[in-house]
Amino acid sequence: MHWKTRKDVAPWLRNLHCSGGDALSRLNSEIMAFEAYMSPTPAEMASRNDAVSQLRAHATMTAPGTLLEEYGSYNTGIYTPSSDIDLRLTSPGHEKQLGERGPSSTRPKALRENHQRLRAFIRHLQAMDTYTDTGLIPARIPVGFATHRTTGVRFQITGVGEISAHDEYVKTYLAEFPALRPLYFVIKNMLWVRDFTETFTGGLGSYPLFMTIVAWLRLGKSQGITIWRHSNEALGEDLLGFLEFYGSFNYYHQGLSIEPPRILAKGQPGGKPSKSERAAMAEDPILYASSKMCVVDKFQPYRLYLQDPANPLNDLGLKCYGIKHIRAIFQHTLAQLRRDMIRFEQDPSLFENGGLLRSIVGGQFDLLEQKGGIVSVPRDLYHCAADVLLLGGKEAAAVSWRSLLSHPIDSKQNIWKAVNSVDAYEVQYEIINSNDSRAFRSLVPDYRSPQLEQHTTVITMSDFQMYHALGQTGNGQEDPASQGSLRQLAAPQFRPPIASSPDGYQQSGSAYNASAPTYQYGTAQPAQQAYGNPSHPQGHTAPQYGVHQDPPGGGYVGELATQMGGLGLGGETSGSGPVRPHKKKQHRHAFHTLETPETSSGAFNGLPASGQLQQQIPGSQHVNQEITPAMSQFPAPANPLFNPTNAPLANAPSAAWGQSPNPSTSIGTSAQGRIDPDQIPSVPHSRDIPAHYYQSHIYPTLENHIPPPGAVPFIAHDQGNSSPKFARLTMNNIPATSDALSSTGLPLGLLLQPLAALSPGELSIPVLDFGESGPPRCRRCRAYINPFMTFRSGGNRFVCNMCTFPNEVPPEYFSPTDPSGVRADRETRPELTRGTVDFMVPKEYWAKEPVGLRWLFLIDVCQEAVNKGYLQSFCEGILSAVYGAHGLAGSGENEDAAPEDEVRALPSGSKIGIMSFDKEIHFYNLSRQAGLEQAQMMVVPDIEEPFVPLSEGLFVDPYASKAVIRSLLTHLPTLFSQIKNPEPALLPALNAALSALSTTGGKIVCSLCTLPTWGPGRLFMRDDQKIHNTDSEKKLFTTEHPGFKKTGQKMVEGGVGVDFFLASPGGGYLDIATIGHISATSGGETFYYPNFLSPRDTPKLAQEIKHTITRQTGYQALMKVRCSNGLQVSSYLGNFVQHTFGADLEFGVIDADKALGVMFSYDGKLDTKLDAHFQSALLYTTASGERRVRCCNVVASVSEGGREAMRFVDQDAVINLIAKEAASRMAERPLKDIRGALTEKAVDVLADYRKNFSGSHPPGQLVLPENLKEFGMYMLSVLKSRAFKGKPLTCSYMFGRSLNLTTLTHDMRMIKSMGAMELSLYLYPRIIPVHNLSEQDGFPGENGHLVMPHTIRASFSRVEEGGVYLVDNGQICLLWIHAQVSPNLLADLFGEHHTTLQSLDPASSALPVLETHLNAQVRNIVQYLSTIRGSKALTVQLARQGLDGAEYEFARLLVEDRNNEAQSYVDWLVHVHRHIQLEARASPSH
């Protein structure tokens, strides 16, 4: 294959007719020359017309009478050489069949026929060799696509569409403005080279861009803003004016209209026009449309509003969420163009080859040269991303990666020559690091240019807006470590409007209402600036995230060096022991080679020092190495954002933690022997900085290998390794032998949450259907196909990455491979590029016929539930969850609306049933088909052998029978208020519910308000205080009742699970150990409401019922975990059933909030040349009735010893598995033994690190691993948690009753099923000082994300007098208010009538909606916190100092303090260090 050649001169300059004159004249001439260059030549027009004629002929062959109508740019004549041809497939009478707008009897049939015609046409094209890249996008309006093989012309074909009006407007404006066409070509190419011409990436499509130029031209014509001649004599002025206008346009507050031309003011959502405005709207339909459409978007207030002249109700800027980037492009291009014009005036010879337009349309001349004819460029190379511009300086450097196309590239040697022939080092950087240049890297994997180290001036336009609405900003939110290296272009900062501050007080650290402040919230204390007051920059180190800071004294770590003398905990920054160099591995590792810097970092998390930004971290090996057969399925990076060479990953926190040779932190004391609490590792500090970082960064799963902290929300990009939301390894670099693992003291395990919820912006999990054959699997170990399996023998065999067994590829799955072993279809196979996928499975995987999930609400109607309001609250909660807020009040005339008119909370196919129980069991017929207007109740008094009296009508579509269900749940509390049975029969009711679900499986949602003491399965008080802290205590944490054990086992076998909603209105005893056994066994969950108070707890109950039925839920589930040769599963931790060791785990149900742990052991030695692989496979039935397998694949590198492994420890996974293992032992060992084992484990981990990996440190230092700095605090929190409390808990807000057994057992089971985020918050709560919020906190920042205030340590020493604190541990949320709080603060939070603590309602559960700044801030923060938690709903409970019993709960959550005779954080570290010293003396040799 021969490659095209080009000259160095810009190709449009060949059409330049005027080479002299000033810069403006030259710019004007170049624009006209560029238009002439981009216009189609007669030969190009003929080739395109011929391609269209051939396509029309094929359409006629498919179906006689079929027509193809041109529309879009091809019809209007403004297409570019790279434009597609847009066609509409129609037939005679098509318009008549579709009818006009509005209802039509012929429209549905005509649409179906047209879609079928389009599909048949595309299938016809796919069968022909004349066309390539053919396919159909199955959207609501299907779109077909094809490429003419001979000419390279691309077609997009649709079946419907109203296109004539748009094209007519385009032609009209082209005739009105002669300058429009040349400006369009220049501006379109300017945005095209920066990837901002596609709406799906947030850019401006062709038609919106065209109308954007028209809006500017028409405004100038009507208002005379600047020089607006709009002819070919003033194109330069027009271009400068366009860039200036849209570069400074106020997108936040203004929009644009074309017909008539005017600038519109954006209104507020829900705003009501005045009477005069309504009258004007009645006369002007366009004004009416703009009033409805031109409003501030609360999520994207910066979004462009541009009214479509062809359809006033169409907003052309609706999908342009990248407008801030486009605005920045306009500003940058205008500044660059003006600089170039000044330089042209000084020396025109500088622009002989490139011209003035080069800074606008880029230097990718070869792409512009692709004008018609056969495109002879390989597709992979032709579409490489090269969006690079210079900020002034070297003209020669504005050459792109596609400049390689000018060289004959037939071999590796020629590529080397081609790269080296490009003089500009900026371009070399771009060529080597272009994120999509896989073909180049596969040939030249190791190319490096020594000149690239000095590169500072290139700006890369990334595709970050695909994941966030705004991408990165340039105000310091971007990683400061990238200064002096590549940066991503960011828009100038917009300041969103901030509501005026309330009068009468001043917030600490903020300046609003600074004049004569009357009150000040709290008292600022210098000792707390670093944690509680974000307004002080010296106290907040987030801007230094990922950058080594080495202030005098050693900074964060160095200051610890002089702290612990008297207690034997002195300090220095790092060890000075010898560092064993890492041996480079072969090309089968998931990670980089581990490079070690010269000295240990003394900054946060061991990050590289300034000036040492070279890559030191594992994670980008696959970006720069050759694709070999051994790693052929490793996903390539998707765009420049995830390429560590575009932005060094040393800046990324999760990738760089612990990269020092001795990644450790030393803690010391002062000469007086007192520890400074400010110098010990801080959990809030370790959360806030990553949270700030991941607001503007994506987590790439293969490039970064230490996941974000568990409590930090993030967006993951699945590159073949599962997201940490689904699977987290305790260490992402695994020692090769058992002895090496033992030297670390850490467990080797995997934390799995297979159905975890995705964050907005993340790609959905692909669902793959392989038909009756099922997904390809290894014949030996039965592992499913995944990205790490390799293909050999030309694609005829695949080698299992688990057991290395070579398997024959099924014929239907065959695809050829290239010489490096990469399948030709790999990019189109999600199972080969994504770490988490769902496989549809054939009937051989079925246990029962899959149906939509059956929900059975089992309601306690006993006397206690009625009297305390729990029955009414539960019924209201069901209505609210199923039908939304309007379900409580009914929907009036729409109550019997068709199901398609409802907003469904449950997926299609799901059904619900209702039962109730006291000492009898009640079934309800809910079917409307039986002619029932109200539910029909059937009572089963025989609870010894209960049966189901209904064959039909028990389970119904909740939307088809809405009136019956709403009537029943509304009247149920009234009905049973007359029937008072004090004792419920729970176990018979559960057995009856199980019988009702026996044929299908499903989920039971059961309420219970008192101890069930009636009938079979009656329970008694078991909480004997005498056996606490004895060997017999373990019996209290499980059930010994055979009936409950048997029922739990039957539920798992039947694919049924139970969620319990247990309430204790009077603080009474509930045997959760026995009752909750069924939910724990079947995979369900227990929600517990101690001291239930209806006005306060009903909103929380309703939200949690809704979350239960709307979260992703599967049933009839089995799980299997597989691992590489050399490892084996040793145990599972969690709530499930496993009959024998090695058998599959069984779940009745499993949902998005459930996690489990898997522990591994060695059965041999791992090969350090290979990676370690893990795969979990969950077979389940979805709520919509599909049988699937959820596969999660995880990979880790292997090292010879434990030193490298310590650098890649996941602290949250370690803590989670240790806590789960401890909770699992509570039924086997006394609690005091478990507490002792937890303490011993904490000592062992830190002692082993000190002994084996920390180097030479004085004996008086406590040395903490860099990635386990907060390990001590979390272990202390585990010991302080309710699950492992050594003494009874007495809380007055629980009426002073001992809640040891009830809460201990409940929390123990919760820990066994908690994921990383939920457990992290449970162990260490978020505490936000409300009184110190800055103006910006609680509102969207300039990057579109909510600005969150920084949290403080969980210690009363951080509490300020007069302060208000929001405390959230993922289970409850308290608003603690100091007794000396400012009355103005209370008025701003709760209303002007609430100025004292006594005036507040202790039963409230939410803040009132007020128009004050502070109230809006706190409500926004609470709303945000409700989205980043586990299964428990967030409602705000007041804890007024000295008034409310909830204050005791607040004190319990201050985990750093000494409480309930438990040690403080400082005392705990001293205690642990003493034990470490004892072990060191016992084994002094390292």
Side-chain angles (χ1 to χ4, degrees):
M1 180 180 292
H2 181 69
W3 293 69
K4 288 191 175 185
T5 60
R6 62 164 178 80
K7 299 180 180 179
D8 293 333
V9 64
W12 62 83
L13 295 184
R14 303 168 193 166
N15 301 321
L16 190 65
H17 301 295
C18 175
S19 58
D22 58 8
L24 199 57
S25 299
R26 171 61 179 262
L27 179 61
N28 188 80
S29 300
E30 282 197 34
I31 295 175
M32 291 189 291
F34 189 83
E35 180 201 11
Y37 174 70
M38 295 300 294
S39 298
T41 64
E44 291 170 346
M45 294 179 64
S47 66
R48 284 182 170 251
N49 291 336
D50 180 64
V52 173
S53 298
Q54 292 185 38
L55 197 66
R56 282 201 175 102
H58 292 306
T60 306
M61 293 169 56
T62 305
T66 300
L67 303 177
L68 283 178
E69 297 180 352
E70 305 98 342
Y71 70 97
S73 61
Y74 186 69
N75 185 36
T76 57
I78 57 171
Y79 66 88
T80 64
S82 60
S83 296
D84 299 343
I85 295 181
D86 299 316
L87 301 170
R88 182 173 66 150
L89 190 72
T90 63
S91 62
H94 172 76
E95 300 295 341
K96 184 177 180 180
Q97 289 177 342
L98 287 180
E100 301 296 332
R101 285 180 176 269
S104 171
S105 60
T106 61
R107 180 187 296 271
K109 181 179 179 182
L111 287 176
R112 287 195 300 270
E113 291 177 351
N114 219 39
H115 294 169
Q116 293 172 0
R117 188 182 300 112
L118 177 60
R119 285 192 287 268
F121 182 46
I122 294 301
R123 285 196 297 268
H124 175 74
L125 297 182
Q126 289 174 335
M128 303 182 62
D129 294 335
T130 310
Y131 298 92
T132 183
D133 291 339
T134 56
L136 184 71
I137 301 175
R140 183 177 62 88
I141 300 178
V143 177
F145 53 90
T147 301
H148 193 249
R149 188 183 298 274
T150 305
T151 62
V153 174
R154 295 187 297 274
F155 297 98
Q156 284 196 6
I157 311 163
T158 184
V160 296
E162 298 177 4
I163 55 178
S164 56
H166 296 88
D167 288 357
E168 291 303 318
Y169 271 98
V170 170
K171 293 177 181 178
T172 300
Y173 292 136
L174 285 173
E176 182 179 356
F177 299 108
L180 181 54
R181 178 184 171 88
L183 286 177
Y184 173 77
F185 280 129
V186 172
I187 297 170
K188 181 178 177 64
N189 278 274
M190 175 181 69
L191 296 179
W192 178 70
V193 298
R194 295 159 174 85
D195 283 340
F196 276 102
T197 56
E198 299 291 348
T199 55
F200 61 83
T201 60
L204 280 169
S206 298
Y207 183 70
L209 175 60
F210 184 88
M211 289 303 170
T212 302
I213 304 173
V214 171
W216 175 79
L217 292 174
R218 288 186 61 80
L219 279 172
K221 183 177 180 180
S222 62
Q223 301 179 14
I225 296 177
T226 180
I227 304 174
W228 305 87
R229 286 175 287 176
H230 311 311
S231 67
N232 287 347
E233 300 177 358
L235 291 173
E237 296 97 320
D238 287 345
L239 178 61
L240 293 171
F242 175 88
L243 296 175
E244 182 177 7
F245 178 75
Y246 282 107
S248 58
F249 189 75
N250 188 346
Y251 298 93
Y252 279 94
H253 300 102
Q254 294 177 336
L256 291 169
S257 169
I258 299 176
E259 296 290 350
R262 53 186 161 191
I263 297 177
L264 306 171
K266 285 188 178 181
Q268 294 300 320
K272 295 183 178 180
S274 63
K275 184 176 181 181
S276 59
E277 290 174 337
R278 289 196 299 270
M281 292 177 193
E283 299 177 358
D284 188 351
I286 295 179
L287 182 61
Y288 171 79
S290 63
S291 69
K292 294 296 184 182
M293 303 294 293
C294 188
V295 294
V296 177
D297 189 327
K298 65 179 180 178
F299 298 107
Q300 298 175 0
Y302 50 83
R303 185 174 57 76
L304 167 68
Y305 172 76
L306 179 62
Q307 193 175 46
D308 185 357
N311 180 9
L313 290 175
N314 182 29
D315 179 5
L316 295 177
L318 182 63
K319 297 183 179 180
C320 186
Y321 54 80
I323 190 62
K324 289 187 69 176
H325 291 285
I326 296 175
R327 180 180 187 267
I329 292 171
F330 291 155
Q331 292 176 336
H332 161 71
T333 304
L334 178 63
Q336 181 64 43
L337 186 57
R338 284 173 172 168
R339 285 195 296 266
D340 287 347
M341 292 175 68
I342 294 174
R343 294 172 62 216
F344 180 88
E345 297 284 357
Q346 298 171 350
D347 187 2
S349 63
L350 295 175
F351 298 88
E352 287 182 357
N353 295 333
L356 290 171
L357 287 183
R358 188 173 187 176
S359 62
I360 298 179
V361 299
Q364 304 167 8
F365 306 148
D366 55 283
L367 188 60
L368 297 177
E369 290 284 68
Q370 302 294 332
K371 292 163 59 65
I374 299 176
V375 179
S376 57
V377 181
R379 191 174 183 83
D380 288 343
L381 292 179
Y382 183 80
H383 290 287
C384 289
D387 307 328
V388 179
L389 292 175
L390 291 181
L391 286 175
K394 302 174 170 44
E395 298 85 355
V399 183
S400 71
W401 148 241
R402 296 184 180 90
S403 64
L404 286 177
L405 302 183
S406 64
H407 300 276
I409 306 180
D410 297 325
S411 65
K412 178 175 180 177
Q413 289 76 17
N414 286 339
I415 289 186
W416 281 93
K417 294 177 183 179
V419 175
N420 288 319
S421 67
V422 182
D423 295 330
Y425 58 85
E426 292 90 344
V427 181
Q428 293 182 5
Y429 189 97
E430 174 199 351
I431 293 171
I432 303 307
N433 298 297
S434 176
N435 194 57
D436 289 331
S437 55
R438 297 186 299 277
F440 175 78
R441 293 196 198 95
S442 66
L443 295 175
V444 192
D446 302 320
Y447 179 79
R448 286 290 184 272
S449 170
Q451 305 176 57
L452 301 184
E453 302 298 330
Q454 303 296 325
H455 179 54
T456 59
T457 58
V458 173
I459 295 179
T460 301
M461 304 298 297
S462 75
D463 286 337
F464 188 69
Q465 66 275 12
M466 292 176 63
Y467 300 91
H468 282 293
L470 289 177
Q472 293 175 324
T473 58
N475 64 343
Q477 296 181 14
E478 192 175 339
D479 191 354
S482 59
Q483 297 175 2
S485 63
L486 285 181
R487 278 185 173 272
Q488 295 179 334
L489 182 62
Q493 297 309 306
F494 294 90
R495 184 176 180 85
I498 300 296
S500 60
S501 60
D503 295 330
Y505 66 85
Q506 177 183 3
Q507 290 188 2
S508 175
S510 63
Y512 71 94
N513 193 30
S515 59
T518 307
Y519 295 95
Q520 182 175 1
Y521 292 169
T523 304
Q525 299 178 8
Q528 298 176 359
Q529 297 296 331
Y531 306 98
N533 192 349
S535 61
H536 281 258
Q538 65 268 29
H540 168 47
T541 58
Q544 287 76 37
Y545 190 72
V547 184
H548 174 76
Q549 301 289 328
D550 196 10
Y556 177 74
V557 177
E559 292 178 5
L560 306 180
T562 60
Q563 295 294 324
M564 283 191 168
L567 291 176
L569 301 174
E572 67 184 34
T573 300
S574 63
S576 57
V579 179
R580 179 173 59 83
H582 179 75
K583 182 178 180 180
K584 186 174 181 180
K585 305 175 184 179
Q586 300 299 321
H587 295 309
R588 288 195 63 176
H589 292 282
F591 308 137
H592 252 17
T593 300
L594 298 174
E595 301 177 11
T596 54
E598 296 179 359
T599 60
S600 176
S601 169
F604 176 73
N605 282 338
L607 298 174
S610 302
Q612 296 178 349
L613 292 179
Q614 66 274 17
Q615 283 187 245
Q616 307 167 5
I617 55 165
S620 56
Q621 175 173 341
H622 296 294
V623 177
N624 295 316
Q625 79 174 41
E626 182 177 0
I627 299 178
T628 65
M631 51 157 289
S632 61
Q633 304 309 315
F634 277 52
N639 59 53
L641 177 66
F642 311 117
N643 188 349
T645 54
N646 281 347
L649 278 183
N651 304 338
S654 57
W657 290 348
Q659 296 307 303
S660 56
N662 290 309
S664 60
T665 297
S666 305
I667 300 179
T669 63
S670 64
Q672 291 76 23
R674 297 180 62 86
I675 301 175
D676 184 356
D678 288 335
Q679 300 304 323
I680 57 180
S682 166
V683 173
H685 183 84
S686 68
R687 289 176 179 173
D688 289 344
I689 296 178
H692 177 80
Y693 179 87
Y694 282 107
Q695 278 195 338
S696 55
H697 293 76
I698 303 279
Y699 175 80
T701 60
L702 261 181
E703 297 171 14
N704 291 4
H705 308 296
I706 300 180
V712 172
F714 63 94
I715 290 181
H717 172 56
D718 190 340
Q719 297 176 312
N721 198 31
S722 282
S723 166
K725 295 176 182 178
F726 300 109
R728 299 176 78 116
L729 281 167
T730 54
M731 50 183 63
N732 295 281
N733 183 291
I734 298 176
T737 63
S738 177
D739 291 340
L741 177 65
S742 299
S743 68
T744 67
L746 294 172
L748 175 57
L750 181 65
L751 178 63
L752 288 172
Q753 194 170 347
L755 299 182
L758 297 172
S759 299
E762 291 182 322
L763 296 176
S764 60
I765 303 301
V767 180
L768 311 175
D769 190 353
F770 288 86
E772 291 300 321
S773 60
R777 301 180 65 179
C778 174
R779 287 193 305 159
R780 176 189 288 175
C781 69
R782 304 301 292 161
Y784 289 85
I785 190 73
N786 62 75
F788 306 103
M789 286 187 175
T790 57
F791 289 82
R792 296 179 180 174
S793 303
N796 288 291
R797 294 192 174 201
F798 67 89
V799 179
C800 178
N801 58 316
M802 300 289 172
C803 64
T804 68
F805 181 76
N807 297 267
E808 295 293 331
V809 174
E812 65 274 10
Y813 192 66
F814 172 78
S815 175
T817 60
D818 63 14
S820 61
V822 180
R823 284 174 60 110
D825 65 346
R826 186 179 71 87
E827 294 297 333
T828 62
R829 290 282 188 182
E831 73 273 13
L832 302 181
T833 57
R834 301 280 294 276
T836 304
V837 297
D838 269 353
F839 294 113
M840 298 285 290
V841 293
K843 291 185 178 180
E844 61 189 79
Y845 291 78
W846 296 3
K848 300 177 181 179
E849 182 76 21
V851 296
L853 183 58
R854 271 42 177 170
W855 295 88
L856 182 54
F857 294 97
L858 187 58
I859 305 174
D860 177 11
V861 292
C862 69
Q863 182 178 349
E864 183 78 358
V866 175
N867 294 344
K868 299 299 184 181
Y870 187 63
L871 173 58
Q872 182 173 352
S873 297
F874 193 76
C875 292
E876 291 177 357
I878 297 175
L879 287 172
S880 176
V882 177
Y883 302 114
H886 66 280
L888 298 176
S891 52
E893 62 183 17
N894 296 324
E895 190 168 352
D896 297 323
E900 57 267 23
D901 295 334
E902 296 282 354
V903 178
R904 299 181 66 101
L906 297 175
S908 179
S910 295
K911 294 184 178 181
I912 70 170
I914 297 176
M915 293 172 54
S916 61
F917 68 98
D918 43 23
K919 67 178 182 179
E920 299 173 331
I921 304 172
H922 320 115
F923 293 84
Y924 299 92
N925 186 347
L926 306 175
S927 176
R928 290 294 301 272
Q929 296 179 356
L932 300 176
E933 294 298 329
Q934 293 184 341
Q936 181 184 35
M937 184 171 76
M938 298 184 182
V939 180
V940 178
D942 183 6
I943 60 176
E944 295 292 336
E945 296 181 0
F947 64 95
V948 180
L950 292 173
S951 59
E952 294 182 358
L954 179 59
F955 292 100
V956 296
D957 186 313
Y959 304 98
S961 298
K962 177 181 176 182
V964 177
I965 294 172
R966 198 180 73 82
S967 174
L968 171 63
L969 294 176
T970 302
H971 295 94
L972 207 60
T974 304
L975 173 63
F976 284 96
S977 64
Q978 309 298 324
I979 307 171
K980 297 184 178 180
N981 290 318
E983 297 178 286
L986 175 63
L987 186 59
L990 290 173
N991 287 326
L994 175 59
S995 299
L997 293 168
S998 59
T999 59
T1000 61
K1003 189 163 188 178
I1004 301 170
V1005 180
C1006 178
S1007 70
L1008 184 66
C1009 196
T1010 187
L1011 187 68
T1013 57
W1014 184 267
R1018 63 178 66 88
L1019 301 177
F1020 306 95
M1021 179 76 171
R1022 293 200 304 146
D1023 192 3
D1024 188 355
Q1025 298 291 333
K1026 296 180 180 179
I1027 64 173
H1028 282 292
N1029 297 318
T1030 67
D1031 291 344
S1032 300
E1033 184 183 33
K1034 60 188 178 183
K1035 297 180 181 180
L1036 300 177
F1037 306 141
T1038 185
T1039 181
E1040 296 182 349
H1041 196 292
F1044 280 86
K1045 287 184 177 181
K1046 184 178 180 180
T1047 299
Q1049 184 65 40
K1050 285 184 176 181
M1051 285 192 173
V1052 175
E1053 294 173 357
V1056 178
V1058 184
D1059 279 356
F1060 281 114
F1061 287 80
L1062 307 181
S1064 179
Y1069 170 76
L1070 282 176
D1071 190 353
I1072 291 184
T1074 299
I1075 298 170
H1077 171 80
I1078 295 181
S1079 63
T1081 302
S1082 63
E1085 186 170 2
T1086 299
F1087 296 84
Y1088 180 48
Y1089 307 91
N1091 187 24
F1092 178 84
L1093 188 61
S1094 181
R1096 181 191 66 198
D1097 296 328
T1098 294
K1100 181 178 177 68
L1101 174 64
Q1103 292 178 39
E1104 290 177 347
I1105 295 174
K1106 182 176 182 179
H1107 180 76
T1108 295
I1109 69 172
T1110 56
R1111 62 186 172 187
Q1112 185 176 3
T1113 303
Y1115 67 104
Q1116 298 179 17
L1118 300 172
M1119 173 175 276
K1120 180 76 172 180
V1121 177
R1122 298 174 175 88
C1123 54
S1124 293
N1125 286 340
L1127 295 173
Q1128 62 182 356
V1129 175
S1130 60
S1131 63
Y1132 292 96
L1133 308 170
N1135 295 326
F1136 49 80
V1137 169
Q1138 186 181 24
H1139 293 289
T1140 60
F1141 179 74
D1144 293 348
L1145 307 185
E1146 299 181 30
F1147 305 85
V1149 294
I1150 186 169
D1151 57 62
D1153 297 313
K1154 298 302 178 291
L1156 68 151
V1158 188
M1159 305 295 287
F1160 300 97
S1161 61
Y1162 289 80
D1163 62 358
K1165 181 178 179 180
L1166 298 178
D1167 188 350
T1168 57
K1169 295 181 181 180
L1170 306 177
D1171 290 325
H1173 297 272
F1174 306 86
Q1175 183 184 81
S1176 70
L1178 175 70
L1179 175 64
Y1180 70 107
T1181 304
T1182 67
S1184 57
E1186 293 181 343
R1187 194 69 171 160
R1188 298 180 183 176
V1189 171
R1190 169 67 59 90
C1191 275
C1192 300
N1193 300 282
V1194 183
V1195 62
S1197 57
V1198 179
S1199 58
E1200 193 67 41
R1203 184 179 299 273
E1204 288 83 1
M1206 292 299 295
R1207 299 176 182 171
F1208 301 101
V1209 174
D1210 184 345
Q1211 179 174 256
D1212 287 282
V1214 170
I1215 294 294
N1216 201 298
L1217 291 185
I1218 290 175
K1220 278 181 167 55
E1221 187 172 22
S1224 300
R1225 299 289 181 266
M1226 290 181 64
E1228 305 169 2
R1229 300 171 57 185
L1231 186 57
K1232 61 181 180 181
D1233 291 351
I1234 295 175
R1235 291 175 55 82
L1238 287 170
T1239 302
E1240 185 178 353
K1241 187 64 176 179
V1243 172
D1244 287 345
V1245 170
L1246 299 179
D1248 287 341
Y1249 179 80
R1250 174 60 186 266
K1251 178 174 62 175
N1252 299 317
F1253 310 118
S1254 65
S1256 299
H1257 287 271
Q1261 286 187 340
L1262 172 62
V1263 184
L1264 304 177
E1266 190 66 25
N1267 291 330
L1268 294 171
K1269 285 195 304 184
E1270 298 81 24
F1271 178 75
M1273 181 65 251
Y1274 279 118
M1275 289 299 290
L1276 176 61
S1277 295
V1278 172
L1279 291 169
K1280 286 188 173 185
S1281 68
R1282 282 179 171 154
F1284 302 102
K1285 275 285 185 180
K1287 294 195 174 183
L1289 301 173
T1290 302
C1291 300
S1292 63
Y1293 90 106
M1294 304 288 190
F1295 295 97
R1297 297 178 184 268
S1298 172
L1299 298 174
N1300 188 57
L1301 178 60
T1302 302
T1303 57
L1304 189 152
T1305 309
H1306 173 63
D1307 284 31
M1308 176 265 290
R1309 289 202 173 116
M1310 279 201 315
I1311 288 176
K1312 291 173 65 176
S1313 65
M1314 280 181 173
M1317 172 177 285
E1318 193 170 8
L1319 183 64
S1320 180
L1321 289 177
Y1322 173 80
L1323 295 179
Y1324 198 103
R1326 303 184 185 102
I1327 302 182
I1328 298 173
V1330 171
H1331 57 286
N1332 278 340
L1333 294 178
S1334 65
E1335 277 185 295
Q1336 294 77 22
D1337 290 338
F1339 291 104
E1342 295 171 351
N1343 62 356
H1345 298 286
L1346 190 75
V1347 177
M1348 285 295 292
H1350 292 279
T1351 55
I1352 64 171
R1353 286 177 178 266
S1355 172
F1356 198 78
S1357 63
R1358 307 291 169 176
V1359 174
E1360 299 178 2
E1361 184 176 352
V1364 177
Y1365 296 88
L1366 197 65
V1367 186
D1368 175 28
N1369 75 336
Q1371 309 297 312
I1372 60 172
C1373 182
L1374 302 176
L1375 187 67
W1376 186 85
I1377 308 175
H1378 194 276
Q1380 303 300 323
V1381 66
S1382 165
N1384 286 2
L1385 189 150
L1386 291 179
D1388 287 337
L1389 270 181
F1390 299 100
E1392 59 184 5
H1393 300 298
H1394 301 281
T1395 57
T1396 64
L1397 293 183
Q1398 290 75 11
S1399 65
L1400 302 179
D1401 181 9
S1404 62
S1405 61
L1407 292 176
V1409 178
L1410 305 176
E1411 296 183 358
T1412 62
H1413 189 86
L1414 182 64
N1415 180 272
Q1417 285 180 297
V1418 179
R1419 284 189 292 106
N1420 289 344
I1421 291 172
V1422 170
Q1423 178 65 26
Y1424 175 72
L1425 293 180
S1426 68
T1427 65
I1428 50 174
R1429 58 198 292 111
S1431 61
K1432 306 304 186 293
L1434 189 152
T1435 56
V1436 178
Q1437 181 177 350
L1438 294 185
R1440 300 168 295 175
Q1441 187 180 28
L1443 295 177
D1444 296 320
E1447 188 180 3
Y1448 290 92
E1449 184 71 5
F1450 171 72
R1452 188 187 69 82
L1453 295 177
L1454 300 178
V1455 291
E1456 291 197 17
D1457 291 342
R1458 180 180 300 172
N1459 48 33
N1460 291 328
E1461 300 185 9
Q1463 292 175 310
S1464 68
Y1465 185 18
V1466 172
D1467 294 339
W1468 166 253
L1469 288 179
V1470 174
H1471 172 75
V1472 169
H1473 182 58
R1474 287 172 179 166
H1475 283 272
I1476 293 175
Q1477 289 178 315
L1478 292 176
E1479 289 201 13
R1481 295 191 188 102
S1483 56
S1485 59
H1486 290 7

